[in-house]
Amino acid sequence: MKIEVWSDYVCPFCYIGKRRLEEAIQQLDFKSEIEIEFKSFELDPNAPKSYDANIHELIAKKYGITVNQAKANNTQIAAQAKSMGLIYDFEAMKPTNTFDAHRLAHYANAEGTQDKFSERLLRAYFTEGKDLSSYEVLASLAKEVGLDYDQAMKILNSDQYRDAVRRDESDARRLNISGVPYFVINGKYAISGAQPTAVFLQSLKQIRTDEVRVESEISGTSNNESKGICIDGQCNI
């Protein structure tokens, strides 16, 4: 089973959704058969590398609410994160452009350490208040998960993996993905949002059951004609 995950490193629900998915997978008896691949999605491709405003002020402006309301919403999000063992420090977060972080994540994927690097980027942003647009920060984080620092810097100072990021984003548009996290299973089923662990668990079990059933049936249709199913509001695409 392949799970493709469209997400952004400054999306608070992406980190929560990642952890809930992982928690669900650990409860599956076929977890060893699951492959996860993270896909690039920029919440704001035009975001600058630095802002004069803090995260609360930016959210207030984006959604047309007061700063106090934004702070209250962020407190609720932090509580959700804490329930999954994640510590969010909204006061330290540095909103930024994530394009280069996504480029380097493709390098990590090519080296077989994409999951570790994605996890490190998320913790660096949400917990440690690191600047994910800084080449020095990105290369250092890459080194922490076993990647080559000099190679990471070389990539960051070039256009390498630019097309890979744009290809992921083009695929997201083709699939009508307008928000993240967004999970596509076996290219046929979709789960949108940071759903509760129980929803991930039930959905993955049902998809597995359906896939096994389809494979065992004697049918006159080709694989390209097979259809997915809808599970608790998450349907095939």
Side-chain angles (χ1 to χ4, degrees):
M1 178 181 287
K2 183 171 184 178
I3 304 176
E4 296 169 296
V5 185
W6 272 265
S7 62
D8 197 3
Y9 299 112
V10 294
C11 164
F13 292 107
C14 290
Y15 202 4
I16 294 170
K18 179 179 185 291
R19 192 62 85 248
R20 288 175 176 171
L21 173 66
E22 292 167 343
E23 188 175 78
I25 289 174
Q26 288 304 309
Q27 300 177 54
L28 298 171
D29 56 11
F30 56 91
K31 62 184 178 183
S32 62
E33 302 173 22
I34 294 177
E35 172 191 356
I36 298 177
E37 182 177 355
F38 293 95
K39 300 288 189 176
S40 301
F41 188 101
E42 295 173 89
L43 288 175
D44 183 2
N46 298 314
K49 289 194 172 185
S50 63
Y51 290 88
D52 292 331
N54 61 40
I55 187 69
H56 306 299
E57 294 167 338
L58 291 174
I59 290 175
K61 181 178 180 180
K62 179 177 180 179
Y63 294 105
I65 59 179
T66 68
V67 172
N68 284 337
Q69 287 173 321
K71 287 183 177 180
N73 290 341
N74 289 336
T75 297
Q76 292 178 354
I77 294 172
Q80 288 190 51
K82 188 175 182 179
S83 71
M84 300 304 299
L86 306 174
I87 304 301
Y88 280 13
D89 186 351
F90 279 95
E91 302 304 323
M93 290 178 196
K94 295 180 176 61
T96 188
N97 187 290
T98 57
F99 180 67
D100 290 320
H102 283 292
R103 285 201 300 124
L104 207 57
H106 279 277
Y107 164 52
N109 187 36
E111 297 296 319
T113 60
Q114 188 192 43
D115 182 68
K116 288 183 179 180
F117 188 56
S118 293
E119 177 73 21
R120 189 66 190 92
L121 287 172
L122 289 163
R123 178 159 58 89
Y125 179 78
F126 287 105
T127 303
E128 300 170 356
K130 293 186 181 295
D131 178 3
L132 295 191
S133 67
S134 164
Y135 286 4
E136 172 65 30
V137 168
L138 290 173
S140 295
L141 294 174
K143 182 179 180 180
E144 286 184 31
V145 300
L147 296 169
D148 184 83
Y149 178 90
D150 292 334
Q151 181 62 22
M153 287 296 288
K154 181 179 178 180
I155 290 168
L156 290 168
N157 282 291
S158 72
D159 288 331
Q160 194 169 351
Y161 295 111
R162 176 186 183 280
D163 291 344
V165 174
R166 297 306 182 213
R167 186 164 52 249
D168 282 354
E169 294 176 334
S170 176
D171 288 343
R173 290 191 293 272
R174 177 177 58 82
L175 295 171
N176 295 316
I177 299 173
S178 58
V180 288
Y182 196 90
F183 308 83
V184 176
I185 300 94
N186 288 348
K188 295 190 293 182
Y189 308 91
I191 299 175
S192 178
Q195 298 293 333
T197 299
V199 172
F200 279 116
L201 185 61
Q202 179 185 355
S203 298
L204 294 176
K205 284 182 176 179
Q206 184 59 51
I207 289 170
R208 171 70 168 176
T209 298
D210 183 69
E211 296 278 78
V212 170
R213 176 183 60 78
V214 170
E215 290 175 4
S216 65
E217 287 179 347
I218 299 175
S219 173
T221 61
S222 69
N223 289 336
N224 291 330
E225 295 170 330
S226 64
K227 297 181 179 180
I229 57 174
C230 290
I231 305 170
D232 292 336
Q234 286 79 50
C235 304
N236 61 297
I237 55 177

